[in-house]
Amino acid sequence: MAVHEQHDHLLTVAQAGDYLGTGERFVRRLIAQRRITYVKLGKYVRLQRSTLDAFIAAGRVASDG
């Protein structure tokens, strides 16, 4: 585990939806489809901000210009 991951903020599903600018339902679908990694703390699901940043970067499309 990298050093930055040890101090990465954990977000709730609702906070992750706000961070991505989407709804909570979209984030739950990503988790259910295993398209994004998450942390299980007992019955609670949390997402690392760096994981969300990586998801955004993976979806980035370069411009032609």
Side-chain angles (χ1 to χ4, degrees), residues 3-64:
V3 174
H4 73 280
E5 289 180 3
Q6 292 175 353
H7 301 290
D8 201 0
H9 296 293
L10 293 176
L11 305 175
T12 64
V13 173
Q15 290 170 327
D18 288 342
Y19 185 73
L20 292 175
T22 66
E24 196 173 323
R25 186 175 180 178
F26 176 73
V27 177
R28 290 195 185 280
R29 189 177 324 125
L30 291 175
I31 292 168
Q33 294 172 348
R34 300 289 198 262
R35 292 174 53 197
I36 195 164
T37 56
Y38 59 94
V39 178
K40 221 25 197 168
L41 299 171
K43 67 178 184 174
Y44 301 105
V45 173
R46 298 291 183 260
L47 297 108
Q48 292 178 306
R49 187 169 292 169
S50 62
T51 300
L52 299 176
D53 291 337
F55 178 77
I56 293 168
R60 185 167 285 138
V61 178
S63 66
D64 290 337

